[in-house]
Amino acid sequence: MKKVISILLVLVMMLALASCGKTATTDIDTPNPAPEEYKAVDINVATLAGPTGIGMVKLMDNQKNGKAANNYKFSLCSDPATEVVPGVVSGNFQIASVPVNLASALYNKTNGGVQILAVNTAGVLYILENGNEINSFADLEGKTVYATGQGSTPEYILNYLLEKNGLTDKVTVEYEASHDELAAKVASGTVSIAMLPEPKVTATLMQNSDTRIALNLTKEFESATDLTLIQGCVIARKDFCEQNPDAVKKFLEEYKASIEFATSNIEETAALCEEFSIIPKAAIAKKAIPNCNIVFITGEDMKKSVSANLQIFFDADPTSVGGKMPADDFYYAK
């Protein structure tokens, strides 16, 4: 009996070992499940001619050549108020590049239905002079400055800087109806001091060699506030972000890469700007891009800069940001 019991115990142990070996082999041989392949999402994107659209051109080129992760349909707009706003409100545009104050106005207009994804453009405003008298803000005292953008952020920025420099009642500001009209007057020498945005600055300098950049308002703003001047951003409908988080993530990855390309490959970016009608001529774009302050700022840095800028615009005119400051959910944080 002892022999029989011993034999049975040995057999049981051998079966147990065999079972363990089989399990271990099975575990090792079983491959991990393959990650799900990303499926492209259809996204209608509104982009603007001018500085706000420069960072988008490489992504537009990738879409054209079948290299984009999503299926983007780009619409080039020249007037944010009449073209972009209705498209975002109706849902026809899921993503759009807009002036930063308009992003806030859209947030309020849609009852929180819009989120800012990233800042894409810092300051693009400059004071031009036909002469050599203006080398600081103090030098504007007693002068007449011609400008564009009355009732919008250029006016608020200029007024804010005049106030900060104690010049509110010491400088006369005359507003022209359009950038083109003012640029033509500066180029012809009719106007000697003017505030213009890029790329009109570069176009004007190329037409009149006696005209120069006297003041960089982005630097003047930073000196007065310790803040970055923010003028352009990219927004998305909140419902689209909630329903398509992976698509938004992919867009931001591609958009960041497109902006990095724009700032490091200026000549090719300039050619793409002309191809996609962001800036009429590549020669102008090539010289203007370094002055357009194309950036990619997200997260807490975005929130800090944008909220501070919006507060300045709100204090100047609450209607410029939609009547009230946006809440925290305005800032996309994923």
Side-chain angles (χ1 to χ4, degrees):
M1 287 297 295
K2 289 181 179 180
K3 289 182 179 180
V4 171
I5 291 171
S6 296
I7 291 169
L8 289 173
L9 287 172
V10 169
L11 289 172
V12 169
M13 291 176 67
M14 290 175 66
L15 288 171
L17 288 171
S19 176
C20 289
K22 184 178 180 181
T23 301
T25 302
T26 301
D27 290 343
I28 292 171
D29 293 342
T30 301
N32 292 324
E36 290 187 15
E37 185 177 349
Y38 176 75
K39 295 181 180 179
V41 173
D42 295 337
I43 306 178
N44 291 328
V45 182
T47 192
L48 296 174
T52 311
I54 292 172
M56 197 74 77
V57 293
K58 183 58 178 173
L59 180 53
M60 296 169 76
D61 185 56
N62 286 347
Q63 172 63 39
K64 174 185 173 183
N65 294 308
K67 297 179 181 179
N70 290 306
N71 300 320
Y72 300 107
K73 180 181 178 182
F74 292 97
S75 296
L76 180 62
C77 304
S78 57
D79 185 350
T82 61
E83 297 176 76
V84 180
V85 169
V88 172
V89 172
S90 67
N92 289 335
F93 295 139
Q94 290 82 49
I95 292 175
S97 292
V98 296
V100 70
N101 69 306
L102 184 58
S104 175
L106 274 166
Y107 171 87
N108 287 315
K109 187 178 181 68
T110 59
N111 297 313
V114 165
Q115 290 184 300
I116 178 171
L117 301 180
V119 169
N120 58 22
T121 315
V124 296
L125 294 172
Y126 296 85
I127 299 288
L128 300 184
E129 183 195 13
N130 192 336
N132 292 287
E133 294 183 20
I134 310 302
N135 295 292
S136 69
F137 243 85
D139 294 332
L140 292 175
E141 184 173 350
K143 302 291 194 302
T144 296
V145 177
Y146 290 83
T148 56
Q150 187 173 25
S152 59
T153 54
E155 179 186 6
Y156 306 140
I157 291 165
L158 179 58
N159 288 346
Y160 181 78
L161 289 173
L162 290 173
E163 179 186 352
K164 281 290 185 178
N165 286 275
L167 298 172
T168 299
D169 299 320
K170 299 176 182 179
V171 176
T172 301
V173 182
E174 298 284 349
Y175 284 94
E176 298 288 340
S178 70
H179 300 326
D180 288 337
E181 184 177 331
L182 180 54
K185 289 183 177 182
V186 176
S188 68
T190 306
V191 167
S192 59
I193 304 172
M195 180 182 73
L196 279 169
E198 282 287 13
K200 293 302 179 183
V201 169
T202 295
T204 302
L205 295 177
M206 291 174 70
Q207 293 180 64
N208 187 337
S209 60
D210 293 329
T211 302
R212 68 184 183 90
I213 293 176
L215 297 173
N216 179 337
L217 295 198
T218 300
K219 291 183 178 179
E220 296 293 334
F221 186 87
E222 290 172 352
S223 297
T225 62
D226 290 327
L227 296 169
T228 300
L229 177 59
I230 303 298
Q231 290 193 252
C233 63
V234 62
I235 61 172
R237 285 191 55 96
K238 188 176 182 180
D239 53 3
F240 180 80
C241 293
E242 292 173 345
Q243 295 164 17
N244 302 276
D246 291 340
V248 174
K249 181 180 178 182
K250 285 287 185 184
F251 166 75
L252 285 173
E253 290 173 355
E254 293 188 295
Y255 189 40
K256 180 182 180 182
S258 184
I259 286 176
E260 290 173 347
F261 182 90
T263 56
S264 59
N265 296 273
I266 293 176
E267 189 162 349
E268 187 171 347
T269 299
L272 291 173
C273 283
E274 179 176 337
E275 178 182 344
F276 293 110
S277 301
I278 299 298
I279 295 176
K281 297 294 183 182
I284 295 174
K286 184 178 178 179
K287 291 187 175 182
I289 288 170
N291 290 335
C292 288
N293 294 311
I294 308 303
V295 296
F296 183 82
I297 305 172
T298 59
E300 284 300 315
D301 289 340
M302 170 184 72
K303 182 179 179 181
K304 179 182 176 181
S305 296
V306 170
S307 61
N309 276 258
L310 290 178
Q311 188 64 57
I312 290 171
F313 302 148
F314 176 84
D315 292 341
D317 180 4
T319 62
S320 68
V321 298
K324 61 182 179 180
M325 291 288 287
D328 285 347
D329 65 340
F330 174 57
Y331 302 97
Y332 185 78
K334 295 181 182 179

